[in-house]
């Protein structure tokens, strides 16, 4: 028996249930493409207001290509006023494009089309004379952007069933709700049910606000999690949809669930002996990190990967018209896609 075979036998067996869909959704993919294409079309620097998506690895990869991330538009130096500034996939309040126009800045809006749809749903409620209830997480950029589509005081934020129980509107008969796109489907159903119980005339949006990608990733985790000793979600601590996946995994039957940004964060002593591992990735987590984490487990375990696929995603959102003539190659996106 050679040494290689002995090492192979020494590794404990591990079944990895790899969820599909996982990782980048069409909106995130589009937002990253917009920054990459803007750099090709206009050269560096391309400014980006806030993190383009909630992932440090993606942000650092774009910085290496020449993107400059700023919190507010006044950080863009006057000599770079003709360089593009990109708004993040989470959406922005109406005040931001207005500010960009006032400063004569050239901007490219990378708001996810499904977030823009929620903006339109909220505006439709208001146009029909309804006060808007937004179900979401306070302080999240998407919530700030959605509330910023309407005049101050037109939107009330409800986060939990407890909030829904105590919410007191001025006109209970004229209410409409929308939701943040990245919420837990199950948690949100509870909040909506409580609001509908208290306000029977509450109007739903014309179409579901939680996006298909959030729902699909949660469904795949529900399928894979039962019986897992550990469930790893690749994603950032400020990523709402990634944190929801951790909660969904625990609720669906995983013994433990961790949110991990890179393989270097894995604490092998804490992980301990496991035989079944679930892996998924939030909508802004690149596939290269999923590969990196699977590789780290392969080094320590005799790992077999099983696919837990519950849906096929074929959505593709077009980039801004100004960028459609710029070629996008596989190499351009290799830093996230591998």
């Amino acid at each position: 028996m050679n040494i290689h075979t002995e090492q192979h036998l020494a590794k404990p067996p591990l079944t990895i249930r790899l969820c599909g869909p996982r990782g980048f959704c069409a909106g995130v993919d589009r937002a990253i493409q917009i920054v990459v294409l803007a750099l090709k079309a206009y050269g560096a620097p391309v400014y980006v207001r806030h993190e383009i998506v909630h992932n440090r690895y993606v942000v650092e990869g774009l910085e290496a290509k020449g993107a400059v991330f700023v919190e507010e538009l006044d950080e863009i130096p006057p000599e770079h006023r003709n360089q593009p500034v990109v708004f993040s996939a989470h959406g922005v309040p109406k005040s931001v494009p207005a500010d960009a126009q006032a400063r004569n800045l050239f901007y490219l809006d990378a708001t996810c089309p499904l977030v823009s749809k929620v903006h339109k749903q909220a505006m439709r409620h208001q146009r029909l004379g309804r006060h808007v209830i937004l179900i979401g997480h306070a302080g999240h950029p998407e919530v700030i952007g959605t509330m910023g589509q309407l005049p101050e005081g037109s939107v009330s934020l409800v986060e939990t069933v407890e909030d829904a129980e105590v919410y007191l509107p001025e006109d209970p008969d004229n209410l409409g709700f929308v939701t943040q796109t990245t919420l837990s489907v199950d948690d949100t159903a509870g909040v909506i049910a409580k609001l509908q119980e208290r306000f029977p005339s509450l109007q739903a949006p014309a179409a579901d606000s939680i996006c298909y990608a959030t729902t699909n990733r949660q469904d795949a985790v529900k399928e894979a999690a039962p019986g897992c000793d550990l469930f790893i979600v690749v994603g950032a601590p400020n990523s709402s949809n990634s944190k929801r996946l951790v909660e969904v995994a625990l609720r669906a039957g995983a013994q433990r669930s961790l949110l991990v940004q890179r393989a270097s964060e894995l604490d092998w002593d804490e992980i301990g002996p496991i035989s079944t591992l679930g892996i998924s990735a939030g909508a802004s987590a690149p596939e290269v990190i999923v590969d990196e984490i699977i590789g780290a487990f392969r080094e320590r375990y005799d790992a077999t990967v099983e696919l837990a696929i519950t849906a096929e995603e074929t959505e593709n959102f077009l980039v801004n018209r100004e960028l459609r003539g710029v070629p996008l190659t596989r190499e351009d996106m290799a830093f996230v896609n591998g």
Side-chain angles (χ1 to χ4, degrees):
M1 191 185 288
N2 63 32
I3 292 169
H4 179 76
T5 310
E6 283 177 12
Q7 284 178 335
H8 183 72
L9 287 175
K11 291 182 184 178
L14 177 68
T15 300
I16 298 176
R17 294 181 189 161
L18 183 60
C19 288
R22 64 181 176 278
F24 283 177
C25 60
V28 164
D29 212 22
R30 173 181 178 268
I32 297 166
Q33 287 177 20
I34 287 169
V35 181
V36 169
L37 290 172
L39 283 161
K40 289 184 82 169
Y42 305 104
V46 165
Y47 288 88
V48 185
R49 184 185 176 276
H50 291 345
E51 288 190 346
I52 185 73
V53 296
H54 281 157
N55 190 277
R56 199 64 234 152
Y57 180 94
V58 172
V59 167
E60 287 168 4
L62 290 170
E63 283 175 334
K65 288 177 178 285
V68 177
F69 289 81
V70 295
E71 283 305 300
E72 295 303 340
L73 300 180
D74 60 10
E75 295 170 51
I76 298 171
E79 64 270 22
H80 288 161
R81 205 172 59 198
N82 294 327
Q83 288 297 105
V85 56
V86 180
F87 301 152
S88 85
H90 308 107
V92 293
K94 279 187 172 171
S95 57
V96 174
D99 184 23
Q101 283 169 340
R103 295 173 188 277
N104 282 327
L105 295 173
F106 165 43
Y107 68 86
L108 295 163
D109 191 351
T111 300
C112 172
L114 298 178
V115 174
S116 298
K117 186 179 85 172
V118 175
H119 293 175
K120 293 188 182 91
Q121 291 169 347
M123 290 188 277
R124 180 175 183 273
H125 280 318
Q126 199 219 13
R127 199 169 61 246
L128 295 170
R130 300 167 192 155
H131 182 80
V132 179
I133 297 173
L134 170 59
I135 302 168
H137 297 295
H140 189 280
E142 187 188 320
V143 164
I144 293 166
T146 300
M147 294 183 84
Q149 301 306 305
L150 298 174
E152 206 165 328
S154 311
V155 185
S156 298
L157 183 65
V158 170
E159 294 194 64
T160 61
V161 172
E162 290 73 28
D163 289 349
E165 281 174 344
V166 297
Y167 172 60
L168 290 173
E170 277 184 28
D171 184 356
D173 295 326
N174 280 302
L175 297 171
F177 77 86
V178 293
T179 78
Q180 188 179 328
T181 62
T182 54
L183 299 178
S184 156
V185 176
D186 298 336
D187 287 348
T188 309
V191 177
I192 293 168
K194 177 54 68 178
L195 288 168
Q196 286 171 332
E197 176 193 315
R198 293 192 60 217
F199 311 112
S201 57
L202 176 70
Q203 296 295 311
D208 196 3
S209 298
I210 296 179
C211 84
Y212 75 87
T214 300
T215 305
N216 287 350
R217 277 150 195 70
Q218 289 178 19
D219 285 347
V221 169
K222 285 177 189 174
E223 175 103 355
C228 283
D229 304 307
L230 176 65
F231 203 102
I232 286 176
V233 175
V234 182
N238 60 339
S239 163
S240 170
N241 78 86
S242 301
K243 290 197 289 190
R244 301 295 80 77
L245 291 177
V246 172
E247 296 163 3
V248 169
L250 288 171
R251 209 176 285 163
Q255 293 295 310
R256 289 179 293 155
S257 188
L258 297 173
L259 185 64
V260 176
Q261 295 191 82
R262 299 296 301 271
S264 56
E265 288 181 15
L266 294 167
D267 182 336
W268 298 102
D269 292 333
E270 185 195 343
I271 287 168
I274 58 172
S275 61
T276 307
L277 169 71
I279 298 181
S280 185
S284 41
E287 187 65 10
V288 288
I289 302 182
V290 176
D291 293 341
E292 174 188 285
I293 286 170
I294 291 173
F297 277 94
R298 283 196 188 283
E299 282 176 19
R300 290 163 179 81
Y301 292 88
D302 179 14
T304 307
V305 176
E306 295 177 353
L307 296 179
I309 298 174
T310 53
E312 294 287 339
E313 290 180 351
T314 55
E315 285 76 10
N316 178 40
F317 297 142
L318 288 174
V319 298
N320 311 62
R321 190 168 278 105
E322 298 93 328
L323 301 173
R324 287 179 199 166
V326 185
L328 184 75
T329 67
R330 192 185 166 93
E331 286 69 38
D332 291 331
M333 297 294 283
F335 75 107
V336 285
N337 295 337

